[in-house]
Amino acid sequence: MEVLRPTLIRIGGRIYRKNIIQQQSYPNEEEDDFYAGPGDPTDEPCDAFMVEETERGFQCAVEVPSPLYKYIIGKKGETRKRLETETRTSISIPKPGMEGQIVITGQQRSGVISARTRIDVLAESFRKKQPFTHFLSFALNQPAIQEKFLQFKEEVLEKCSKDHGVNSSLFQNPAKLHLTIGTLVLLNEQEIQKACELLQRSKEDFIDKTVGDKSLTVEVAGIEYMNDDPAMIDVLYAKVHMKDGSDKLQLIADRLMEQFVTSGLMMKEWDRVKLHATIMNTLFRKDPNVEEKNSTTTGKSSFKERETFDGRNILKDQCIIS
């Protein structure tokens, strides 16, 4: 991470800077200890969430998916103990595997707010380390496109099979051709339901209005690669654009991304969605069901090292799917 460009975390409409923290590695990730950092609880924001006053002081509840509990508890409970000590609060966490609220109680309102803010930062930090579970996309598996894709695959294997790394295991399943808008980390049924409801609202609010009473017709033509060296490609994709020359598809994709980013269900990486359909990916060698994902998007890739293939002859012929 660059010192002048620290990672920013958006929580409750606020933006927090994530400082570099030296972490000790443990054999069992479940017991990893991560700490959001000490600080004076009186300088924490107090209007980003609700704190309830009770007979014994103050209380605040926070929704955290159960897979993230272990990061808030820490190795042998050290993270929770440290948070409780420094914020002078008590933190109640549901049992592993049980969905529920983490409840923070304390004598001082500022202490409860401090503990809540730090739990939010912990949860958001470790959410980014989870493999993505879902992706938002437009299907491109119409029969005509599948047929052209299979012709492209046959032509590549016929002409370029002797090139380094080129074989049938690189190709996308034609039934799964799609345009990815973004990847999501949805860790429980509540988050999945939230994503479904947001997608339905988006359809009603702007997708139907943008599309009108006619289906969008796209053209899939031309190929391009993700990295800088055509002799060492890991992802080859087909370019996609509207057949009538309009930007309707781009507008819908960008607006969807904005909606999901605002809701906290997706991380924003670029100002605009890159409309493309992955057709060859070296990750498919290891898992034909894996979907493409850039290393800087939400979640983490299942494979640390990427194999490559030589795509110079494929690009030279400029095989076209349309």
Side-chain angles (χ1 to χ4, degrees), residues 215-228:
S215 298
L216 298 183
T217 303
V218 301
E219 185 175 47
V220 185
I223 53 177
E224 190 56 82
Y225 55 100
M226 288 290 188
N227 54 314
D228 297 328

Side-chain angles (χ1 to χ4, degrees), residues 94-108:
K95 294 181 179 179
M98 295 183 61
E99 296 296 340
Q101 294 182 321
I102 293 178
V103 179
I104 308 161
T105 56
Q107 295 291 323
Q108 297 182 351

Side-chain angles (χ1 to χ4, degrees), residues 159-215:
K159 297 180 178 180
C160 308
S161 60
K162 294 183 179 180
D163 294 344
H164 170 71
V166 176
N167 59 49
S168 61
S169 67
L170 293 174
F171 291 85
Q172 172 68 283
N173 181 336
K176 294 184 177 181
L177 289 168
H178 63 274
L179 300 178
T180 299
I181 297 171
T183 55
L184 308 161
V185 177
L186 306 178
L187 299 176
N188 58 24
E189 289 299 323
Q190 290 88 340
E191 292 186 347
I192 294 173
Q193 184 62 31
K194 181 180 178 182
C196 291
E197 292 172 355
L198 178 57
L199 186 58
Q200 182 61 37
R201 286 199 307 272
S202 299
K203 179 181 182 299
E204 297 168 358
D205 292 345
F206 63 88
I207 295 178
D208 288 344
K209 296 176 183 177
T210 303
V211 173
D213 56 359
K214 295 182 180 180
S215 298

Side-chain angles (χ1 to χ4, degrees), residues 16 37-47 49 110-111 113-115 117-118:
Y16 298 87
D40 183 357
T42 61
D43 64 10
E44 301 288 353
C46 60
D47 58 352
F49 35 75
S110 59
I113 291 171
S114 176
T117 301
R118 298 181 195 188

Side-chain angles (χ1 to χ4, degrees), residues 127-133 183 185 234-235 281-284 286-287 290-307:
R127 176 184 289 275
K128 292 178 180 179
K129 296 184 178 182
Q130 307 305 306
F132 72 87
T133 59
T183 55
V185 177
D234 49 30
V235 174
N281 189 333
T282 56
L283 290 185
F284 294 153
K286 300 180 181 180
D287 182 358
V290 76
E291 297 298 338
E292 82 279 7
K293 191 185 78 63
N294 294 330
S295 60
T296 51
T297 55
T298 304
K300 63 182 180 182
S301 175
S302 302
F303 309 106
K304 294 182 179 179
E305 296 183 3
R306 297 292 299 269
E307 297 178 5

